[in-house]
Amino acid sequence: MNKKNIILVMVFTLAQVFFISGNAQEEESRLERLKSQKVAFLTERIGLSTEDAQKFWPVYNEMSEKMDELWKEKKENIKKLYHSDESLSEAGKEAAIDEYINYELKKANLEKEYHEKFKKILTIDQVIKLYGAEHEFKKKMLHMIKGGKSSSCTDCDNDNEPDKMPSKT
């Protein structure tokens, strides 16, 4: 290869590195904004006082981290079961599908564990509002992803009824 081609390859490679790095930073920034929106949304919907928030958010964040770890396990298992290039033996298929069911049990147990912790921090009405607000936040984010007009959760239709989706016009 002559010098010109080598320089072109190097420039192209560097451009890709900066592009990928920029996209990763942008994605991280987007994720942080989404988390901030969720905190604000849940805090407002639950009606957390400053004192309650100081107790609640560390526990909620701990639960979220554990749920994320479980989700990663589930994704790996699904990849192994459905998207593997190598075919699994019958025993491998059985182990993978059993692991899928175990994931669901682990998730349910984790939810139960943190439900009990939330009841010690929040009133029962606030716990009920928490679950409704989480559901509402997810629906609003899905609506936004599917092409809703708003750019943030706080811009969404505030109908306070988690089971009603904003109508598309």
Side-chain angles (χ1 to χ4, degrees):
M1 248 197 267
N2 63 26
K3 277 187 175 183
K4 200 179 208 181
N5 287 343
I6 292 172
I7 291 172
L8 263 164
V9 169
M10 287 176 60
V11 167
F12 180 72
T13 304
L14 282 173
Q16 283 184 320
V17 167
F18 286 122
F19 179 74
I20 290 169
S21 156
N23 282 345
Q25 289 173 349
E26 185 179 312
E27 190 62 35
E28 191 174 305
S29 174
R30 230 183 277 157
L31 187 59
E32 287 304 314
R33 280 195 314 268
L34 181 63
K35 285 180 181 180
S36 295
Q37 288 175 347
K38 185 175 184 180
V39 166
F41 185 83
L42 293 181
T43 298
E44 188 266 324
R45 285 293 202 271
I46 298 168
L48 290 177
S49 68
T50 305
E51 185 180 308
D52 289 341
Q54 288 175 342
K55 295 175 189 170
F56 171 75
W57 285 110
V59 175
Y60 187 87
N61 292 335
E62 180 182 290
M63 179 196 69
S64 293
E65 287 174 18
K66 289 181 179 181
M67 285 293 199
D68 288 347
E69 286 302 312
L70 273 180
W71 174 244
K72 286 176 188 172
E73 286 178 28
K74 180 180 181 180
K75 265 181 28 179
E76 286 302 313
N77 190 51
I78 287 172
K79 200 183 299 182
K80 182 173 33 174
L81 191 59
Y82 295 111
H83 304 293
S84 177
D85 289 338
E86 57 191 63
S87 60
L88 294 175
S89 66
E90 288 300 309
K93 290 176 187 175
E94 185 175 348
I97 202 69
D98 287 350
E99 188 56 39
Y100 176 83
I101 297 301
N102 285 332
Y103 160 81
E104 296 297 330
L105 289 170
K106 288 178 192 175
K107 181 180 174 209
N109 287 330
L110 195 59
E111 288 172 341
K112 182 174 176 29
E113 174 188 341
Y114 281 89
H115 172 72
E116 295 302 324
K117 289 181 180 185
F118 294 150
K119 288 192 318 186
K120 291 177 182 171
I121 298 169
L122 306 172
T123 67
I124 196 65
D125 287 335
Q126 287 175 314
V127 173
I128 292 167
K129 287 178 183 177
L130 166 64
Y131 298 145
E134 284 182 315
H135 179 73
E136 185 179 356
F137 185 82
K138 287 175 190 170
K139 285 178 76 169
K140 287 179 184 292
M141 289 299 103
L142 286 172
H143 174 71
M144 190 178 80
I145 290 167
K146 288 180 181 178
K149 293 177 247 168
S150 61
S151 61
S152 75
C153 175
T154 54
D155 296 335
C156 292
D157 180 33
N158 288 323
D159 61 5
N160 291 328
E161 295 182 54
D163 293 332
K164 288 188 178 180
M165 286 296 290
S167 61
K168 290 191 177 193
T169 54

